Amino acid sequence: MCTGRMDPATVVKALKKGLDGLMVLGCYFGDCHYISGNYQAKAKIDMTRRLLKHLGVNEERVSFQQLSSGEGARYVELVTNYAKVIRDIGPIGGEGDNLKAPEIFKKLETAEAVLAGEKIRWVIGKRTPFLESGNMYGEIFTEHEFNRAIDMIIVEETETQEILGRLKEQAQSVKDLAGALTIPAQRVFRYITALKRKDMIKLEKVSGRTPVYQIVSQEV
Amino acid sequence: MEDKKVLIVGGGIDGVRVALEKADTGARVTIVEKFPTLGAERIPRDRLIKPDEAFVNLDLDSVRNNPDIEVLTYSDIKKVIREEDGRVRTHILKHSLHVDNSKCNDCKACIRVCPVNMFDDFNEGFGFRTAVDFFNSGTGEYNIFKEDMPVCQDACPIHLDIRKYVGLIADGKYKESLAKIREKLPLPGSIGRVCPHPCETACNRQFLDEPISICFLKRYVADVEINNEIEPAYETPDKKYPEKIAIIGAGPSGLTCAYDLARMGYEHIKIHEALPVPGGFLWVGIPEYRLPKELLKREVDLIAGMGVEILYDTRIGKDISFEDLQTENDAVFIGAGCHSGLKLNVPGEDDYEGIVDCVTFLREQALGIRDKGTNKLIVIGGGNAAIDSARVGWRMGFDDVYILYRRTKKEMPANPWEIDAAEHEGVIIQYLAAPIEILGENGKVTGMKCIKMELGEPDASGRRRPMPIEGSEYVIDAQTIVPALSQAADMSFLPEGHEYKISRWNTFEIDEETCQTNIPGVFAGGDIVSGPDIAIRAVAGGKNAAVGIHEYLRSK
């Protein structure tokens, strides 16, 4: 089993269950049996940390460290240090996080939906080719640009997933969604048109003069 | 009506209707539409003028199935040529859709994961689409939209990959950034100091706060290399070409042309430079305080290190004839620049000693011939050359330095930061003043008679035309007068009775695509083609010519 195979959604799932910290221990760069597994793991954990920071969860709750199987002393050192870090931060949803319980668990649910979504998986999977061999047009991106794109996608995907989460409960209008999520109505409308374009939601009815949208169940 | 061909621009409602009508009369019809599908944009309801436009159901199938109608969607008209017999020819660029719509089953998986958002043209920018998306939900044709280069790169004459190198600096990868710049520009340190940066004028960031300092970032990475004492080597490919190429002028265009050709694999490149120093105007026109000579020398040495031979003190037409150059070499590039200053055309100009045009003034100062100044200096003009001359004069020790400009500070073509620096140093700038006569005694200049001006109506260049105020003449005492009006090319190196096409601005007329003059094998670029212009455009001229020379030699 390789750290590169680890799904970021499971990491957040652990936090959602009440875990206070999670350390991922991978091989050193260059030592990977599968050539680039640890690079993938690093990219995924970095992205997860960015998402957690955006949501108001202390990013130190997820950490990526490297060691080889023969380094017992380093293992002890890493675990001791990390345990100390987590002890300083305190339990999840407490002093160490910007968000407090129980909202933090609601947010982590959104985070899980984001990380389990198609978009962010595709983009993070393309990280290595984009930075090294380039896209279809031969354009190679800088790390800086890629991270900026990831940050933008994180914001968009969290807001989209929040809207979808609300719509899953019941059909709602743009105005209702904007009020419940504290996102400006204009932005909500933009997400709604985008989701409609992707066949993920549809118009349920027009009550009075306000259109009400409902979710389209997706076949797997 | 036989043999009649009709081109319809725009595949909207009216375009399709007219196409069907024309096809019925027996004409061959071509529809050109800039969007990826027929039917044009969706018209917002509040913009409807005629009610019958509201929901027109276009008969698109009958258009597609009509053998007389050819549909070119996602196409732009690039050029319209009117023939002498009244017919019209057009050049049309058809973009690729990048999606095979016969295989697409509209599952929408692509648009769900696409990370690139952009305005949806079909809905008049009302919402967003992703880079891969259907254009019109009615016809359902998918395409991938690829934007052209960023605005800064588009504004740069050599289309330097600014997005990339600034991004690499943001990542802290200075070495990679400099290597990226050097893919296109051999003089990053020099251009990073002197360029008036059209890229920053175009930068989108200015609408938020201020543009990215693209130019100084380039200077920064070049300086990092010098400060860390890294000695780079410019590499040339293993595959060499045997042709001989002569380049006239070691200025920005000549050096870049040599650099590009050497990188293509040409071994025998000789640069003929009339002056004892390289760099052309970068050395003899731009003062030391703006561009240190040592730095320029280093960048030229790097180009010379690629096997490019630079022959100094070799003036074409004097030390070696132009015909010899042409017969001895397979291709000749002329990048001689504009090295003669224009005259004032006022009485007394040719009668007294002490009047020297700005090009000569700056050159002599740069070469150390004229290194001291006494008494008073007047510089006439408002461009960067005038400010340079004045600031150089101030450094040479003139007691008082004046700049005379006939309009106001707002209209001055020099860079505003240069004007401020000159004023800060103590140069006296007199706006709204123009020379009318040079005064002198015993063959030497003693002063200049000037007249005050006022601004009238805007002229052809959009600037307000200065008008003299009657009876406002006054005299400034001066021992040296430097007219810095403009520069012109010196064509005296060409043999007498030559057959080159010279424009009325005394510059070479070249083929825009190949940079070749009307004589095969002779190419030109830089100021000698464009007239006096900024350094980076001269670099662009050299680069284009290098491509033209390569194509010319390889197709022989």
Side-chain angles (χ1 to χ4, degrees):
Chain A
M1 189 69 179
C2 170
T3 44
R5 183 65 188 82
M6 178 206 50
D7 187 346
T10 56
V11 173
V12 173
K13 203 173 189 172
L15 294 182
K16 202 180 79 185
K17 295 229 163 173
L19 239 77
D20 295 326
L22 193 142
M23 181 161 59
V24 178
L25 284 166
C27 316
Y28 288 115
F29 292 138
D31 280 0
C32 181
H33 179 71
Y34 306 100
I35 297 161
S36 65
N38 42 12
Y39 285 95
Q40 294 282 356
K42 175 90 166 56
K44 283 176 180 175
I45 292 297
D46 278 355
M47 185 264 297
T48 312
R49 282 164 63 100
R50 277 169 183 274
L51 174 68
L52 291 178
K53 197 178 169 193
H54 169 69
L55 294 175
V57 183
N58 195 324
E59 52 181 340
E60 292 302 323
R61 294 201 184 280
V62 178
S63 161
F64 179 74
Q65 299 294 346
Q66 291 165 307
L67 82 171
S68 83
S69 53
E71 292 181 308
R74 181 171 157 81
Y75 175 76
V76 171
E77 189 190 319
L78 285 174
V79 172
T80 319
N81 287 348
Y82 191 59
K84 190 176 173 298
V85 168
I86 293 299
R87 212 165 278 131
D88 289 346
I89 297 171
I92 192 159
E95 289 296 307
D97 301 292
N98 287 341
L99 264 184
K100 306 295 171 236
E103 293 96 68
I104 198 167
F105 295 108
K106 190 94 186 149
K107 279 280 180 192
L108 284 170
E109 206 160 303
T110 314
E112 198 190 338
V114 170
L115 293 171
E118 291 164 312
K119 192 169 193 167
I120 213 138
R121 280 170 194 254
W122 271 96
V123 176
I124 207 71
K126 283 275 178 195
R127 186 183 187 275
T128 320
F130 276 178
L131 296 190
E132 277 161 26
S133 50
N135 64 6
M136 282 295 289
Y137 307 99
E139 294 167 328
I140 300 174
F141 296 91
T142 55
E143 212 171 327
H144 173 80
E145 274 177 302
F146 188 83
N147 287 341
R148 204 170 54 192
I150 282 280
D151 283 344
M152 198 187 74
I153 293 166
I154 284 174
V155 174
E156 274 177 11
E157 278 292 287
T158 17
E159 292 181 343
T160 308
Q161 289 300 339
E162 276 176 339
I163 288 169
L164 285 175
R166 295 272 166 175
L167 290 179
K168 217 173 265 175
E169 289 162 14
Q170 69 175 112
Q172 284 184 44
S173 69
V174 170
K175 219 189 280 173
D176 296 340
L177 285 167
L181 296 169
T182 62
I183 304 171
Q186 218 180 344
R187 280 246 294 282
V188 176
F189 181 67
R190 216 181 76 196
Y191 289 121
I192 289 285
T193 48
L195 285 168
K196 227 172 109 187
R197 202 181 174 93
K198 295 168 190 169
D199 273 354
M200 291 170 93
I201 58 170
K202 66 180 180 197
L203 189 71
E204 188 202 24
K205 61 177 180 195
V206 181
S207 82
R209 302 183 67 174
T210 316
V212 177
Y213 298 94
Q214 70 175 45
I215 199 157
V216 177
S217 62
Q218 303 293 323
E219 287 166 31
V220 181
Chain B
M1 290 296 281
E2 267 173 46
D3 196 33
K4 189 176 176 186
K5 287 181 181 167
V6 181
L7 179 81
I8 292 171
V9 184
I13 296 156
D14 285 338
V16 169
R17 202 188 59 229
V18 174
L20 287 170
E21 279 170 16
K22 291 282 176 191
D24 282 345
T25 64
R28 296 269 308 130
V29 182
T30 308
I31 304 177
V32 176
E33 166 62 47
K34 72 169 173 169
F35 288 128
T37 182
L38 283 182
E41 302 141 277
R42 175 174 288 159
I43 308 168
R45 285 188 197 188
D46 60 342
R47 249 205 244 170
L48 290 179
I49 302 159
K50 290 176 282 179
D52 59 327
E53 279 181 0
F55 294 104
V56 184
N57 200 2
L58 283 176
D59 197 357
L60 292 179
D61 279 341
S62 69
V63 175
R64 291 205 186 99
N65 297 334
N66 195 323
D68 288 333
I69 301 179
E70 190 189 357
V71 181
L72 292 175
T73 48
Y74 214 15
S75 305
D76 285 326
I77 294 185
K78 285 288 173 192
K79 211 182 212 175
V80 178
I81 304 159
R82 196 172 284 277
E83 300 276 337
E84 279 168 6
D85 59 355
R87 297 174 79 91
V88 173
R89 268 196 309 143
T90 50
H91 287 196
I92 298 170
L93 176 69
K94 185 161 176 13
H95 302 282
S96 170
L97 289 175
H98 294 293
V99 176
D100 187 348
N101 276 291
S102 62
K103 287 179 185 157
C104 169
N105 66 355
D106 200 15
C107 70
K108 295 192 166 127
C110 55
I111 62 175
R112 284 182 190 178
V113 298
C114 182
V116 182
N117 289 333
M118 56 194 19
F119 284 111
D120 178 11
D121 285 336
F122 179 67
N123 282 323
E124 291 264 323
F126 188 52
F128 283 92
R129 58 167 284 175
T130 45
V132 51
D133 212 333
F134 53 83
F135 182 72
N136 176 342
S137 50
T139 54
E141 280 162 333
Y142 280 73
N143 71 307
I144 295 176
F145 185 86
K146 172 78 178 80
E147 272 186 351
D148 209 347
M149 53 181 86
V151 282
C152 47
Q153 194 178 353
D154 192 36
C156 179
I158 60 167
H159 304 311
L160 203 56
D161 196 347
I162 292 161
R163 191 183 62 104
K164 187 71 186 287
Y165 86 72
V166 172
L168 284 169
I169 295 172
D171 284 358
K173 296 177 179 167
Y174 303 140
K175 206 178 132 202
E176 288 87 345
S177 177
L178 190 58
K180 189 77 203 168
I181 297 170
R182 282 190 174 138
E183 277 178 19
K184 283 193 171 173
L185 179 66
L187 310 160
S190 310
I191 295 293
R193 278 170 169 77
V194 303
C195 192
H197 43 67
C199 48
E200 289 181 32
T201 314
C203 179
N204 277 331
R205 178 82 197 190
Q206 64 184 301
F207 304 114
L208 190 66
D209 41 34
E210 53 188 34
I212 309 274
S213 294
I214 299 167
C215 184
F216 281 166
L217 282 169
K218 179 159 58 235
R219 171 187 166 168
Y220 174 70
V221 279
D223 284 358
V224 163
E225 189 184 75
I226 296 172
N227 293 341
N228 291 336
E229 292 172 4
I230 300 167
E231 280 304 317
Y234 290 173
E235 281 174 17
T236 53
D238 294 334
K239 193 185 165 210
K240 302 285 186 197
Y241 298 115
E243 282 90 350
K244 281 180 168 176
I245 299 158
I247 291 173
I248 304 175
S253 63
L255 287 172
T256 314
C257 187
Y259 173 77
D260 277 14
L261 287 168
R263 274 165 59 103
M264 284 170 194
Y266 289 91
E267 269 184 306
H268 307 289
I269 305 169
K270 264 187 197 168
I271 303 184
H272 301 265
E273 170 60 56
L275 296 169
V277 290
F281 240 91
L282 293 178
W283 189 294
V284 297
I286 291 177
E288 172 87 30
Y289 64 87
R290 271 175 75 193
L291 174 57
K293 311 276 185 258
E294 199 185 320
L295 183 126
L296 179 60
K297 183 87 179 53
R298 177 177 179 271
E299 292 192 326
V300 174
D301 285 346
L302 286 171
I303 297 172
M306 298 169 85
V308 175
E309 200 178 331
I310 307 180
L311 305 169
Y312 297 106
D313 289 316
T314 314
R315 189 172 283 278
I316 308 299
K318 202 173 121 201
D319 300 313
I320 177 170
S321 80
F322 190 77
E323 289 98 331
D324 286 353
L325 213 60
Q326 233 177 318
T327 48
E328 279 170 18
N329 295 286
D330 297 287
V332 177
F333 172 75
I334 306 168
C338 291
H339 283 266
S340 48
L342 295 184
K343 295 176 85 175
L344 273 173
N345 286 331
V346 293
E349 192 178 0
D350 300 324
D351 303 342
Y352 307 111
E353 191 187 312
I355 304 170
V356 51
D357 67 77
C358 77
V359 184
T360 316
F361 180 76
L362 289 170
R363 180 170 61 229
E364 289 180 353
Q365 192 273 335
L367 298 178
I369 301 169
R370 180 195 289 267
D371 51 357
K372 273 215 174 71
T374 46
N375 291 329
K376 290 182 177 177
L377 167 76
I378 303 180
V379 180
I380 302 151
N384 276 329
I387 305 278
D388 283 350
S389 307
R391 291 182 72 184
V392 159
W394 185 83
R395 283 167 174 73
M396 281 160 69
F398 282 98
D399 299 330
D400 283 319
V401 181
Y402 292 90
I403 294 180
L404 245 62
Y405 182 52
R406 58 196 183 129
R407 292 187 176 92
T408 64
K409 190 172 177 179
K410 210 180 101 195
E411 282 88 13
M412 232 168 161
N415 297 333
W417 56 91
E418 290 285 331
I419 303 171
D420 290 343
E423 281 184 331
H424 184 74
E425 282 175 359
V427 173
I428 303 154
I429 307 184
Q430 293 195 348
Y431 299 103
L432 293 166
I436 48 172
E437 197 187 337
I438 309 272
L439 308 172
E441 256 175 39
N442 305 331
K444 287 197 172 171
V445 172
T446 56
M448 191 168 68
K449 199 189 231 179
C450 311
I451 190 164
K452 289 220 166 107
M453 313 288 267
E454 60 182 350
L455 292 180
E457 293 298 306
D459 64 3
S461 71
R463 297 183 296 182
R464 292 171 69 191
R465 186 193 298 275
M467 314 284 277
I469 304 171
E470 291 288 323
S472 65
E473 292 90 348
Y474 63 104
V475 173
I476 308 175
D477 292 340
Q479 284 66 43
T480 311
I481 294 175
V482 175
L485 305 178
S486 183
Q487 300 96 42
D490 179 7
M491 295 285 188
S492 59
F493 63 88
L494 288 177
E496 271 183 42
H498 66 82
E499 289 173 345
Y500 288 91
K501 265 195 202 162
I502 306 289
S503 74
R504 63 192 175 95
W505 296 280
N506 201 27
T507 57
F508 275 103
E509 278 187 19
I510 56 164
D511 183 295
E512 272 179 36
E513 277 175 27
T514 61
C515 294
Q516 191 165 223
T517 59
N518 55 326
I519 310 288
V522 180
F523 296 76
D527 281 3
I528 207 157
V529 170
S530 61
D533 207 340
I534 61 177
I536 191 75
R537 279 206 194 99
V539 170
K543 287 190 84 67
N544 293 343
V547 175
I549 290 170
H550 180 63
E551 278 170 10
Y552 166 76
L553 292 177
R554 298 274 65 79
S555 62
K556 265 210 312 198

Short mmCIF file of all heavy atoms in Angstrom, two decimals, chain B residues 214-233:
data_model
loop_
_atom_site.label_atom_id
_atom_site.label_comp_id
_atom_site.label_asym_id
_atom_site.label_seq_id
_atom_site.Cartn_x
_atom_site.Cartn_y
_atom_site.Cartn_z
N ILE B 214 7.05 44.19 -14.32
CA ILE B 214 7.60 43.15 -15.17
C ILE B 214 9.05 43.46 -15.55
O ILE B 214 9.93 42.60 -15.50
CB ILE B 214 6.73 43.00 -16.43
CG1 ILE B 214 5.32 42.60 -16.04
CG2 ILE B 214 7.33 41.99 -17.39
CD1 ILE B 214 4.30 42.73 -17.14
N CYS B 215 9.29 44.72 -15.90
CA CYS B 215 10.62 45.11 -16.40
C CYS B 215 11.68 44.96 -15.31
O CYS B 215 12.73 44.35 -15.54
CB CYS B 215 10.54 46.55 -16.89
SG CYS B 215 12.04 47.14 -17.62
N PHE B 216 11.41 45.50 -14.13
CA PHE B 216 12.42 45.44 -13.07
C PHE B 216 12.58 44.03 -12.53
O PHE B 216 13.64 43.70 -11.99
CB PHE B 216 12.08 46.42 -11.95
CG PHE B 216 12.46 47.84 -12.29
CD1 PHE B 216 12.00 48.91 -11.56
CD2 PHE B 216 13.30 48.10 -13.37
CE1 PHE B 216 12.35 50.21 -11.88
CE2 PHE B 216 13.66 49.39 -13.71
CZ PHE B 216 13.18 50.45 -12.96
N LEU B 217 11.56 43.19 -12.65
CA LEU B 217 11.72 41.80 -12.23
C LEU B 217 12.74 41.10 -13.12
O LEU B 217 13.54 40.28 -12.67
CB LEU B 217 10.37 41.07 -12.31
CG LEU B 217 9.42 41.37 -11.15
CD1 LEU B 217 8.05 40.82 -11.46
CD2 LEU B 217 9.93 40.77 -9.86
N LYS B 218 12.72 41.49 -14.39
CA LYS B 218 13.69 40.93 -15.34
C LYS B 218 15.10 41.38 -14.96
O LYS B 218 16.04 40.59 -14.93
CB LYS B 218 13.32 41.41 -16.74
CG LYS B 218 14.23 40.94 -17.83
CD LYS B 218 13.57 41.01 -19.19
CE LYS B 218 13.06 42.36 -19.58
NZ LYS B 218 11.70 42.46 -19.94
N ARG B 219 15.21 42.66 -14.63
CA ARG B 219 16.50 43.19 -14.20
C ARG B 219 16.95 42.46 -12.95
O ARG B 219 18.12 42.12 -12.80
CB ARG B 219 16.34 44.69 -13.92
CG ARG B 219 17.56 45.27 -13.27
CD ARG B 219 17.34 46.70 -12.83
NE ARG B 219 18.42 47.06 -11.94
CZ ARG B 219 18.67 48.29 -11.57
NH1 ARG B 219 17.93 49.27 -12.01
NH2 ARG B 219 19.66 48.56 -10.75
N TYR B 220 16.00 42.20 -12.05
CA TYR B 220 16.34 41.57 -10.78
C TYR B 220 16.96 40.19 -10.99
O TYR B 220 18.03 39.91 -10.45
CB TYR B 220 15.09 41.47 -9.91
CG TYR B 220 15.31 40.69 -8.65
CD1 TYR B 220 16.10 41.21 -7.64
CD2 TYR B 220 14.76 39.43 -8.47
CE1 TYR B 220 16.34 40.50 -6.49
CE2 TYR B 220 15.00 38.71 -7.33
CZ TYR B 220 15.78 39.24 -6.33
OH TYR B 220 16.02 38.53 -5.20
N VAL B 221 16.32 39.35 -11.81
CA VAL B 221 16.89 38.00 -11.98
C VAL B 221 18.24 38.06 -12.67
O VAL B 221 19.12 37.24 -12.40
CB VAL B 221 15.96 37.02 -12.74
CG1 VAL B 221 14.93 36.47 -11.83
CG2 VAL B 221 15.34 37.61 -13.96
N ALA B 222 18.41 39.06 -13.57
CA ALA B 222 19.71 39.19 -14.22
C ALA B 222 20.75 39.61 -13.20
O ALA B 222 21.90 39.14 -13.24
CB ALA B 222 19.63 40.21 -15.36
N ASP B 223 20.38 40.46 -12.25
CA ASP B 223 21.33 40.92 -11.23
C ASP B 223 21.66 39.82 -10.23
O ASP B 223 22.78 39.76 -9.73
CB ASP B 223 20.76 42.13 -10.50
CG ASP B 223 20.86 43.39 -11.33
OD1 ASP B 223 21.41 43.29 -12.45
OD2 ASP B 223 20.38 44.45 -10.88
N VAL B 224 20.67 38.96 -9.95
CA VAL B 224 20.92 37.86 -9.02
C VAL B 224 22.08 37.01 -9.53
O VAL B 224 22.97 36.62 -8.79
CB VAL B 224 19.65 36.99 -8.85
CG1 VAL B 224 19.98 35.66 -8.23
CG2 VAL B 224 18.64 37.72 -7.98
N GLU B 225 22.07 36.78 -10.85
CA GLU B 225 23.14 35.97 -11.44
C GLU B 225 24.50 36.65 -11.27
O GLU B 225 25.48 36.01 -10.91
CB GLU B 225 22.84 35.74 -12.92
CG GLU B 225 23.78 34.74 -13.53
CD GLU B 225 23.52 34.60 -15.02
OE1 GLU B 225 23.92 35.51 -15.77
OE2 GLU B 225 22.94 33.59 -15.41
N ILE B 226 24.54 37.98 -11.51
CA ILE B 226 25.82 38.70 -11.39
C ILE B 226 26.28 38.71 -9.94
O ILE B 226 27.44 38.44 -9.64
CB ILE B 226 25.66 40.13 -11.92
CG1 ILE B 226 25.34 40.10 -13.41
CG2 ILE B 226 26.93 40.94 -11.67
CD1 ILE B 226 24.99 41.43 -13.98
N ASN B 227 25.33 38.98 -9.02
CA ASN B 227 25.71 39.07 -7.61
C ASN B 227 26.19 37.73 -7.06
O ASN B 227 27.02 37.70 -6.16
CB ASN B 227 24.52 39.57 -6.79
CG ASN B 227 24.18 41.00 -7.14
OD1 ASN B 227 25.00 41.72 -7.72
ND2 ASN B 227 22.98 41.42 -6.83
N ASN B 228 25.66 36.63 -7.60
CA ASN B 228 26.11 35.32 -7.15
C ASN B 228 27.29 34.80 -7.95
O ASN B 228 27.71 33.65 -7.79
CB ASN B 228 24.96 34.31 -7.22
CG ASN B 228 23.89 34.62 -6.19
OD1 ASN B 228 24.17 35.25 -5.18
ND2 ASN B 228 22.69 34.19 -6.46
N GLU B 229 27.81 35.67 -8.84
CA GLU B 229 28.98 35.35 -9.66
C GLU B 229 28.83 34.04 -10.42
O GLU B 229 29.72 33.20 -10.45
CB GLU B 229 30.24 35.33 -8.78
CG GLU B 229 30.59 36.72 -8.28
CD GLU B 229 31.70 36.73 -7.27
OE1 GLU B 229 32.27 35.65 -7.02
OE2 GLU B 229 32.01 37.81 -6.75
N ILE B 230 27.66 33.87 -11.01
CA ILE B 230 27.45 32.70 -11.85
C ILE B 230 27.84 33.08 -13.27
O ILE B 230 27.46 34.15 -13.75
CB ILE B 230 25.97 32.25 -11.82
CG1 ILE B 230 25.56 31.91 -10.38
CG2 ILE B 230 25.73 31.07 -12.75
CD1 ILE B 230 24.09 31.76 -10.17
N GLU B 231 28.61 32.25 -13.93
CA GLU B 231 29.01 32.53 -15.31
C GLU B 231 28.25 31.60 -16.24
O GLU B 231 28.59 30.43 -16.38
CB GLU B 231 30.53 32.35 -15.49
CG GLU B 231 31.36 33.51 -15.00
CD GLU B 231 30.97 34.86 -15.63
OE1 GLU B 231 30.74 34.89 -16.85
OE2 GLU B 231 30.88 35.86 -14.89
N PRO B 232 27.18 32.07 -16.85
CA PRO B 232 26.42 31.19 -17.72
C PRO B 232 27.12 31.02 -19.06
O PRO B 232 27.97 31.82 -19.43
CB PRO B 232 25.11 31.93 -17.91
CG PRO B 232 25.50 33.36 -17.80
CD PRO B 232 26.68 33.45 -16.90
N ALA B 233 26.80 29.95 -19.75
CA ALA B 233 27.32 29.77 -21.09
C ALA B 233 26.13 29.55 -22.01
O ALA B 233 25.25 28.75 -21.70
CB ALA B 233 28.26 28.57 -21.13
#
